[in-house]
């Protein structure tokens, strides 16, 4: 095989055969975060330098493929790593003779993803190389060593996470961990939390709690803000205008978050949320989070840590009122004369319709008010329940008749 003198390797491992050199050599380059890409440039340079090593091992320059799509992405999972998925696909198509990485942790920190790659490489006769040597996943000894390296890489990730988590918990126990303040608060350069210096912001925040005291529901507060054309303030957290006040359209979710946030009662809390993996949606990093509503279950609670908009007793009354207003069973019929309560979908927008009663509970209506409940916008549509129930009753009895 003819090649440049600078591409010669003094001692090529015996595991590399001519059939391997006939296919591509893939150099996989990855850094976990964008910050590492910007600051740890030596590590990135070493990874790109693996292309020269592949050349010395017997591959021509045009045969070397560098996959760097995963720069700034964590190796904890393959879901959001298009580069790793591309690598597995190339191996599965039989195009790859050698996979080169600076170390195993660059390829995967999950045993599930790592062993999937090992299986594919063993099946399609693909070698794996790192800083320590060249391995053949189809042989027992190399497969055992690669498996141990993958296990250690995954364990290292868990150890690092555990150390950082313990550090966060220790700082939170002292009330010093400020991850994000709700609207109406600012963090001074001294590290002290204070009320927003903008009096207009403070006025709107106090108004929200005052209206809830009178109307006793989130929908009532939302309706009041929309009727009086009042927007909710927030400070821009990133970008060139960071720190400026931005006024947004009020919505139900934001108001609910404000009313249940204990910081407005002057309390510092940590551990209000827990993660349920069963509820996690792939591609949505914040899905699966649920709030612990009982203060006794929070990891840290320091009352009187912040300047308050309301007192703690008012906060507790608000939580009790919101719990009483909350629908316990979504999509399940509740009390009332309507036949299809909680089961009707809007033919215009496709959302779930609510059941309302007029005339002292004698007249039922199916109402689509999702946009009204979220943004205080007009209702989508409303229809009397009587003709719908009568039609569905005829269809049900006809289906059940002998």
């Amino acid at each position: 095989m003819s090649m440049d003198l600078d591409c010669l390797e003094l001692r090529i491992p015996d595991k590399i055969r001519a059939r391997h050199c006939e296919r591509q050599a893939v150099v996989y380059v990855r850094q976990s975060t964008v910050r590492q890409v910007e600051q740890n440039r030596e590590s990135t340079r070493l990874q790109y330098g693996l292309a020269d090593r592949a050349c010395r091992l017997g591959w021509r320059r045009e045969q070397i493929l560098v996959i760097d799509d995963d720069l700034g992405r964590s190796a904890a999972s393959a879901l959001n790593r298009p580069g790793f998925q591309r690598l597995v696909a190339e191996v599965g198509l039989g195009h790859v003779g050698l996979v080169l990485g600076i170390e195993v942790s660059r390829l995967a920190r999950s045993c599930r993803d790592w062993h999937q790659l090992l299986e594919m490489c063993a099946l399609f006769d693909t070698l794996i190389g790192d800083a320590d040597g060249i391995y053949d996943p189809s042989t027992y000894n190399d497969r055992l060593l690669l498996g141990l390296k993958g296990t250690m890489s995954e364990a290292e990730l868990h150890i690092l996470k555990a150390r950082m988590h313990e550090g966060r918990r220790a700082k939170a126990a002292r009330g010093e961990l400020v991850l994000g303040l709700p609207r109406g608060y600012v963090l001074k350069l001294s590290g002290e939390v204070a009320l927003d210096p903008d009096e207009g912001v403070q006025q709107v925040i106090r108004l929200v709690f005052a209206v809830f005291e009178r109307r006793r529901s989130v929908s009532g507060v939302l309706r009041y803000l929309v009727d009086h054309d009042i927007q909710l303030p927030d400070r821009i957290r990133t970008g060139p205008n960071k720190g400026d006040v931005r006024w947004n359209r009020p919505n139900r979710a934001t108001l609910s978050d404000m009313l249940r946030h204990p910081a407005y009662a002057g309390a510092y809390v940590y551990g209000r949320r827990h993660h349920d993996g069963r509820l996690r949606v792939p591609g949505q990093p914040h899905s699966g989070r649920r709030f612990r509503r009982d203060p006794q279950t929070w990891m840290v609670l320091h009352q009187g840590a912040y300047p308050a908009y309301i007192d703690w007793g008012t906060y507790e009354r608000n939580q009790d009122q919101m719990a009483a207003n909350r629908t316990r069973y979504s999509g399940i019929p509740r009390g009332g004369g309507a036949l299809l309560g909680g089961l009707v979908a809007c033919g215009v927008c496709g959302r779930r319709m609510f059941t309302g009663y007029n005339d002292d509970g004698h007249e039922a209506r199916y109402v689509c008010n999702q946009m009204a409940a979220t943004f205080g916008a007009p209702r989508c549509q409303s229809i009397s329940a009587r003709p719908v129930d009568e039609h569905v009753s005829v269809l049900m009895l006809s289906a059940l008749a002998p």
Side-chain angles (χ1 to χ4, degrees), residues 95 104 116 138 148 195 234 242 287 328 372:
H95 296 166
V104 168
Q116 178 194 15
S138 63
L148 289 174
L195 297 180
D234 195 12
K242 180 180 178 180
S287 61
R328 293 185 61 192

Side-chain angles (χ1 to χ4, degrees), residues 15 29 31 93 131 196 204 213 221 224 236 238 271 285 301 315 399:
K15 296 171 185 177
V29 180
Q31 291 280 71
L93 292 172
D196 197 298
V204 172
E213 281 285 333
V221 178
Y224 180 91
I236 301 175
T238 58
L301 171 60
Y315 171 79

Side-chain angles (χ1 to χ4, degrees), residues 185-322:
Y185 287 95
V186 295
L187 184 65
K188 295 183 177 181
L189 294 177
S190 62
E192 180 185 1
V193 176
L195 297 180
D196 197 298
D198 192 317
E199 293 185 0
V201 173
Q202 292 189 34
Q203 184 179 2
V204 172
I205 299 297
R206 298 185 192 279
L207 177 64
V208 168
F209 290 100
V211 174
F212 187 81
E213 281 285 333
R214 298 197 304 267
R215 299 203 170 187
R216 311 305 301 166
S217 70
V218 178
S219 298
V221 178
L222 178 62
R223 188 73 263 165
Y224 180 91
L225 297 180
V226 172
D227 291 343
H228 293 81
D229 195 23
I230 299 175
Q231 294 184 316
L232 295 176
D234 195 12
R235 289 196 175 270
I236 301 175
R237 303 176 188 274
T238 58
N241 298 321
K242 180 180 178 180
D244 294 347
V245 178
R246 177 177 57 193
W247 296 88
N248 302 316
R249 178 184 183 184
N251 61 82
R252 186 182 184 89
T254 299
L255 291 173
S256 297
D257 289 341
M258 291 178 61
L259 290 167
R260 71 185 178 192
H261 205 302
Y264 292 106
Y268 172 88
V269 299
Y270 178 78
R272 280 198 308 147
R273 291 175 295 189
H274 71 282
H275 295 265
D276 190 342
R278 297 171 299 177
L279 303 176
R280 188 164 185 260
V281 179
Q284 299 183 15
H286 299 293
S287 61
R289 292 184 177 181
R290 291 296 181 268
F291 280 93
R292 297 184 175 100
R293 304 188 185 277
D294 184 3
Q296 300 296 329
T297 63
W298 299 342
M299 294 182 184
V300 179
L301 171 60
H302 296 320
Q303 296 185 27
Y306 297 157
Y309 284 92
I310 58 175
D311 58 62
W312 186 256
T314 301
Y315 171 79
E316 291 182 327
R317 290 197 304 270
N318 291 347
Q319 304 315 300
D320 293 339
Q321 184 63 50
M322 294 175 68

Side-chain angles (χ1 to χ4, degrees), residues 6-7 9 16 24-30 42-61 63-67 98-107 128-134:
D6 60 345
C7 293
E9 178 77 1
I16 299 178
Q24 290 179 326
V26 175
V27 174
Y28 181 77
V29 180
R30 186 191 65 79
E42 182 65 19
S43 176
T44 306
R45 186 189 66 81
L46 290 175
Q47 293 184 70
Y48 279 112
L50 292 174
D52 296 330
R53 183 186 176 194
C55 186
R56 293 193 299 270
L57 290 172
W59 276 265
R60 297 187 302 274
R61 289 286 181 182
Q63 290 181 289
I64 301 172
L65 172 64
V66 178
I67 297 180
L98 173 68
V99 176
L100 270 178
I102 197 70
E103 57 186 15
V104 168
S105 62
R106 298 298 178 189
L107 290 164
I128 294 178
D130 62 8
D132 296 326
I134 304 297

